[in-house]
Amino acid sequence: MNDATRTTAPTLPMPDLRDSFPGPFPASPYADDIERHATGWLRTFPLVGPPRKLAALANITGQGMARTFPTADRDGLFLCADLFLWLTAFDDTHGEAEGARDPARLVRTISEYVHVLAGHDEPPGGPSAFGAALRDVLARFGERATPTQYLRLTADLRDNLMGVLWEAHHLDRPDHVTLSDYRAMRPHTVFIRTLTTTAEVALGYELTDPERSSAPVRELQAAVADFAGWINDLASYAKETAHDGSGSLNLLSLLMRERGCDLEEAYRLASRMCEQRAAVAAARIAELTVGAGPLAAHAGALGSIVSSYVWHIDHSRYRTPDRA
């Protein structure tokens, strides 16, 4: 196992990605610029509280986005970083434990952003900090994206909001969730489909409808969506269960319950699942990048997205408190 596939639980069987996504992974020369921009944007729109948390979020988003779209221009990287700052901060602030404690409040909070996504006027009394930040990001995407790209992006964001609400609703009773349910919803809670949509905007290409619906593209996107959620689960499990046992809404917990296995075997199963999906993604990327044009650009973008998720799992965000 190489450094790119190690996490904070190195004794447990993690995916071996050397054959599919071996690294090293390229990074944009604007990495530090993105991080500085992210810090400034979060000060303009105060979505997170303590300075340490702001710095950590700006770091993982800035450095991560530099690896997600290493060939994108500076403004495109700033724009995509701000969108994912918003999504991550929203999930951290309003989703997860807070949403589970008061789902009705989460529904009311989400309703403001549904109005923003629909292009409605600001509410009486002005928008919340999150509402103002979302309006800023969408206005800038509207200037850069084609009309179809913009509509797809707002649809993805609605799915993200639904995913956050779904996760909060089930967080206290994960035993009600089946592995099939989780597999269907996980791409929306890890934001991978939204990231895939932003690739076309950031990198300046657009698939035609026949290209988007072709079997290789659909297989590639499905494999990447599964991989992104599952490798994130492997990385975050220890932190998620540090204080409340093994009942988290996580692939590993579901495997232990549905397969009747222990944690080590669940890691082994999940790692094998990640390896299989990574192999499918790598094969489709190799197939699509033989030519040129939007299909090749899209395949290359999905390859960089996978690489960024591999990079993310070693970040301090996923460490347990005693290892932070």
Side-chain angles (χ1 to χ4, degrees):
M1 184 181 302
N2 60 23
D3 288 343
T5 57
R6 293 204 333 252
T7 71
T8 56
T11 60
L12 292 168
M14 291 293 290
D16 184 348
L17 304 174
R18 287 173 293 185
D19 290 338
S20 52
F21 293 91
F25 306 126
S28 168
Y30 301 120
D32 292 341
D33 291 340
I34 307 167
E35 185 174 344
R36 282 190 291 269
H37 167 84
T39 300
W41 193 80
L42 286 173
R43 287 173 178 159
T44 301
F45 299 101
L47 308 183
V48 296
R52 180 181 177 185
K53 187 173 182 180
L54 185 155
L57 182 55
N59 175 260
I60 191 172
T61 305
Q63 298 297 320
M65 194 56 65
R67 289 157 176 81
T68 304
F69 301 131
T71 62
D73 65 76
R74 187 169 171 268
D75 288 343
L77 289 166
F78 287 178
L79 178 57
C80 292
D82 292 347
L83 177 63
F84 284 89
L85 288 170
W86 190 92
L87 283 167
T88 306
F90 175 78
D91 191 31
D92 288 351
T93 302
H94 296 296
E96 298 180 352
E98 180 65 30
R101 284 193 293 269
D102 193 348
R105 181 179 179 182
L106 178 57
V107 170
R108 292 193 298 272
T109 300
I110 284 175
S111 68
E112 177 188 354
Y113 313 134
V114 172
H115 283 286
V116 176
L117 292 168
H120 296 166
D121 293 337
E122 292 184 3
S128 66
F130 276 92
L134 183 57
R135 287 180 185 276
D136 172 76
V137 170
L138 290 178
R140 289 155 56 206
F141 264 104
E143 294 172 355
R144 186 176 179 111
T146 68
T148 299
Q149 288 171 338
Y150 185 85
L151 288 173
R152 287 179 48 240
L153 176 65
T154 55
D156 287 336
L157 289 170
R158 290 186 188 92
D159 287 343
N160 294 149
L161 294 174
M162 174 62 188
V164 171
L165 181 61
W166 176 87
E167 188 173 51
H169 174 71
H170 290 290
L171 200 60
D172 287 339
R173 295 296 305 273
D175 52 305
H176 289 183
V177 179
T178 67
L179 190 57
S180 177
D181 293 335
Y182 190 70
R183 181 171 178 174
M185 293 301 297
R186 185 60 173 130
H188 304 307
T189 60
V190 80
F191 312 141
I192 180 60
R193 298 200 190 282
T194 304
L195 190 57
T196 300
T197 296
T198 64
E200 296 187 37
V201 181
L203 299 174
Y205 68 90
E206 187 167 15
L207 298 180
T208 64
D209 288 341
E211 288 172 333
R212 196 180 309 283
S213 61
S214 67
V217 170
R218 287 187 288 106
E219 290 172 7
L220 170 57
Q221 294 189 163
V224 171
D226 286 339
F227 176 85
W230 298 345
I231 198 167
N232 183 279
D233 284 354
L234 284 164
S236 61
Y237 180 83
K239 183 175 181 179
E240 288 179 1
T241 59
H243 301 295
D244 57 1
S246 60
S248 67
L249 186 54
N250 182 293
L251 176 63
L252 294 161
S253 296
L254 288 166
L255 287 171
M256 284 188 282
R257 173 161 54 83
E258 294 203 0
R259 304 288 176 88
C261 60
D262 61 15
L263 180 59
E264 183 174 352
E265 180 61 18
Y267 261 87
R268 185 174 291 108
L269 289 169
S271 295
R272 195 174 304 132
M273 291 164 66
C274 284
E275 290 164 1
Q276 290 168 347
R277 299 308 273 159
V280 171
R284 296 290 80 77
I285 289 167
E287 175 184 341
L288 292 168
T289 52
V290 168
L295 277 176
H298 191 63
L302 269 291
S304 294
I305 287 172
V306 170
S307 300
S308 74
Y309 274 90
V310 176
W311 174 86
H312 268 81
I313 67 172
D314 275 325
H315 194 273
S316 59
R317 178 179 174 85
Y318 298 105
R319 295 177 192 157
T320 53
D322 62 316
R323 297 179 65 92

